Amino acid sequence: MDLPLPSPCINVCQMNARTGLCEGCQRTIAEIVAWGSASDDDKRRIWREIDQRRAIQ
């Protein structure tokens, strides 16, 4: 059995007006809203994008 993918949320929910990303989890509003109904493939894609965003900061 596969475990569900964890949410990137760390309860630091503040949107950065310049980047359009949450300061805590580095997701866009659209990614945050979609997370609950996203497929595992979509969640993995979002995690990859978060990793890329963090790498360039």
Side-chain angles (χ1 to χ4, degrees), residues 4-29:
L5 289 168
S7 170
C9 181
I10 60 168
N11 295 316
V12 178
C13 305
Q14 183 174 346
M15 297 306 291
N16 182 309
R18 184 181 60 79
T19 65
L21 300 173
C22 173
E23 293 286 349
C25 68
Q26 298 297 299
R27 290 182 291 174
T28 65
I29 288 285

Side-chain angles (χ1 to χ4, degrees), residues 38-56:
S39 69
D40 282 351
D41 286 341
D42 286 337
K43 289 178 180 179
R44 285 186 195 91
R45 177 189 53 78
I46 292 169
W47 267 112
R48 284 191 301 272
E49 291 181 18
I50 290 168
D51 288 341
Q52 290 172 351
R53 292 168 185 158
R54 289 179 176 159
I56 61 174

